[in-house]
Amino acid sequence: SVNGVSAGHLKGIRYPNYDGPINDVTTNDIICNGGPNPLVTPYDTTIISIPAGATVTAEFHHTLTSAGTSDGDEPISPSHKGPIMVYLAKVSSALQTSVTGLQWFKIYEDGLHSDGTWAVDTMIANKGKVNFKMPTCVANGDYLMRVELIALHAAGSSLGAQFYMECAQIRVTGGGSASPATVSFPGAYGQSDPGILINIYQTLTSYPIPGPRPMTCGSTPVSSSSARVSSSSSSRASSSTSSARSSSSSSSSRSSSSSRASSASSSSSGGAALYGK
């Protein structure tokens, strides 16, 4: 939702017909989902309008129909601990179907907290909701918004981390002229990055959230968890890019009146995949 107003169930969201994870960060499926979780087409043509500075809510659920039910993994299995992140990619049209070759910048992240809990724990306590701000300095225009949850319960072995993401079609209004550094998907993550290949069943004093740090407006970070003990610098360099570029990005978190991105997970694994609501 945007400032508490939802665009409606599945509106403006590119969602899959299956709720499994993506495990291989080198495939194009890491962009906006797909592959083993085919996206439902044709895509909805809603573009969610989000004023710069608005509070955006992404909402996760175990399945598209599990909200308000007795599903034991609603909104996600509590074993699926890990970070939650939001990226944007500038596009010429939020309705464009292609998501390859886009340049992404992060606007929000939350990982391991000082009390040992994770972003996923906070999301579960908030009944699936994750709130973040649309940066005031983001340039006006169309974007794909990519909301991502990484479940680390099996991340101690290669290809064990589970990535759940979806992209929302948004339009930012009343923004600024920021020119944040960007990364590519695939490319932003490596399979053996320390925040992806990690044993979480140990005492952790820090956690390196994958990808770049969130963009800043001036010298102030626009959106991050103040309790996080994982604000290490990115293990992958981000490439600088002009704000005028019209590269498109896919995003799964819902924006202002956006349909919430709900995470659905396979009942066999308890994992989460972003579905729009």
Side-chain angles (χ1 to χ4, degrees):
S1 66
V2 177
N3 290 331
V5 179
S6 173
H9 186 55
L10 301 180
K11 294 296 184 181
I13 306 290
R14 301 180 183 187
Y15 60 95
N17 61 13
Y18 179 69
D19 54 10
I22 301 299
N23 298 92
D24 188 345
V25 301
T26 68
T27 71
N28 285 338
D29 304 328
I30 199 70
I31 306 173
C32 289
N33 214 328
N37 315 306
L39 296 178
V40 174
T41 57
Y43 300 142
D44 182 74
T45 57
T46 300
I47 298 177
I48 301 162
S49 179
I50 304 178
T55 297
V56 181
T57 302
E59 188 164 331
F60 292 81
H61 292 290
H62 184 218
T63 69
L64 290 176
T65 59
S66 63
T69 71
S70 58
D71 185 333
D73 285 333
E74 167 64 21
I76 190 175
S77 169
S79 68
H80 286 35
K81 300 184 186 303
I84 295 173
M85 296 164 281
V86 180
Y87 291 84
L88 298 182
K90 190 76 168 63
V91 291
S92 56
S93 170
L95 300 182
Q96 68 182 58
T97 56
S98 174
V99 297
T100 58
L102 302 182
Q103 297 299 308
W104 300 86
F105 57 93
K106 188 185 285 184
I107 63 169
Y108 173 84
E109 64 179 18
D110 189 16
L112 177 65
H113 303 155
S114 57
D115 62 358
T117 61
W118 291 84
V120 167
D121 295 312
T122 302
M123 179 268 285
I124 292 173
N126 290 338
K127 299 183 177 180
K129 295 181 179 180
V130 177
N131 298 315
F132 55 93
K133 292 284 189 180
M134 179 59 64
T136 57
C137 59
V138 167
N140 293 344
D142 284 13
Y143 293 83
L144 289 179
M145 181 167 61
R146 178 182 181 272
V147 177
E148 177 180 46
L149 180 158
I150 307 178
L152 300 173
H153 57 290
S157 59
S158 182
L159 298 175
Q162 297 182 355
F163 298 80
Y164 299 95
M165 79 297 296
E166 282 177 12
C167 292
Q169 302 159 176
I170 72 168
R171 179 169 294 154
V172 174
T173 62
S177 57
S179 229
T182 62
V183 295
S184 299
F185 285 103
Y189 303 158
Q191 210 70 56
S192 60
D193 284 354
I196 293 173
L197 181 61
I198 182 173
N199 172 18
I200 64 170
Y201 305 105
Q202 59 181 312
T203 300
L204 296 174
T205 57
S206 65
Y207 168 76
I209 297 176
R213 300 290 61 81
M215 68 169 289
T216 59
C217 290
S219 60
T220 305
V222 295
S223 191
S224 60
S225 167
S226 59
R228 196 178 65 244
V229 295
S230 48
S231 58
S232 67
S233 62
S234 167
S235 57
R236 304 230 146 218
S238 61
S239 64
S240 172
T241 165
S242 157
S243 63
R245 79 175 50 179
S246 63
S247 69
S248 104
S249 100
S250 120
S251 100
S252 70
S253 156
R254 65 178 177 189
S255 55
S256 71
S257 60
S258 110
S259 64
R260 66 191 145 199
S262 76
S263 93
S265 96
S266 149
S267 59
S268 61
S269 67
L274 287 174
Y275 280 129
K277 184 174 180 184

